[in-house]
Amino acid sequence: EKNLKEINSTLKEIKDLTQKTADGTRTISRYRLLKDMSKIINRGYIDLTELQELSILYNSYKELGGNSAVSEMYKKCKKLPIKKE
């Protein structure tokens, strides 16, 4: 029974650390997306590489539970004209 309690305690610590890591990753992704998308929207166009990289980061952000203004800005970026790099 003592071993079971130790295992449960360790699992709780791992779960807590995993959640903190996910929260931090989501926060960093949100910051990066908002910064990059603001620049792109103000410029008025997006290139294909930017669109691909934004899509990858945005999908990761969404998987981590992200939402809000990022989604609206992402939609705007997808509607921008695509120019060659």
Side-chain angles (χ1 to χ4, degrees):
E1 184 156 327
K2 181 182 176 192
N3 284 342
L4 188 55
K5 286 182 181 180
E6 287 176 10
I7 290 170
N8 281 335
S9 176
T10 301
L11 286 174
K12 183 180 178 339
E13 288 175 23
I14 291 170
K15 182 180 176 185
D16 290 345
L17 182 58
T18 301
Q19 185 61 53
K20 288 176 184 176
T21 301
D23 291 346
T25 302
R26 186 178 58 244
T27 300
I28 292 167
S29 296
R30 182 179 193 280
Y31 174 81
R32 179 64 191 262
L33 284 163
L34 290 173
K35 185 174 177 86
D36 289 352
M37 290 189 299
S38 291
K39 180 184 85 173
I40 290 166
I41 290 168
N42 287 333
R43 186 178 64 201
Y45 68 89
I46 190 166
D47 68 44
L48 190 55
T49 300
E50 288 172 329
L51 182 56
Q52 291 169 337
E53 294 301 320
L54 279 180
S55 295
I56 292 167
L57 186 56
Y58 176 76
N59 288 330
S60 173
Y61 172 76
K62 290 296 285 182
E63 286 290 317
L64 291 168
N67 54 25
S68 74
V70 174
S71 295
E72 292 307 312
M73 289 182 73
Y74 180 68
K75 289 175 190 174
K76 288 181 183 180
C77 283
K78 285 178 33 176
K79 291 179 181 178
L80 289 171
I82 298 174
K83 293 204 176 178
K84 291 192 178 192
E85 300 167 45

